[in-house]
Amino acid sequence: MANAALGLIETKGIVAAVVATDAALKAADVKFVKQDKVGSGFVAVTLSGDVASVQAAVDAGANAAGQVGEVVSVHVIPRPQEGVASV
């Protein structure tokens, strides 16, 4: 994962998470890593790719999710330490 970034989009509800993931994957050259059902209706989506692509994808995903539901949190981690993705 050298020179890669992780992007996280957390939403309230699965529909907003699916919409966010769809928009993010269409907006930039990123890969879907995983989806976590955090609890109490919260869903977190993790994406990876180069820093600029992940930033563009997360922005697009959060914007799309905000139109159909609630975006709780959005964050991009540029060049994370190895092992962070497994957390």
Side-chain angles (χ1 to χ4, degrees):
M1 186 174 303
N3 295 325
L6 285 177
L8 303 157
I9 304 170
E10 185 177 20
T11 65
K12 186 161 188 178
I14 190 76
V15 173
V18 170
V19 169
T21 304
D22 181 55
L25 293 173
K26 289 177 180 175
D29 184 23
V30 295
K31 292 183 180 167
F32 173 78
V33 176
K34 65 181 177 176
Q35 171 190 310
D36 294 303
K37 294 178 182 160
V38 180
S40 299
F42 294 106
V43 180
V45 175
T46 305
L47 307 164
S48 70
D50 67 80
V51 177
S53 294
V54 169
Q55 184 65 57
V58 166
D59 290 344
N63 184 38
Q67 293 178 15
V68 298
E70 182 179 343
V71 176
V72 177
S73 179
V74 176
H75 192 68
V76 174
I77 304 171
R79 296 173 300 285
Q81 182 69 28
E82 192 172 322
V84 171
S86 64
V87 176

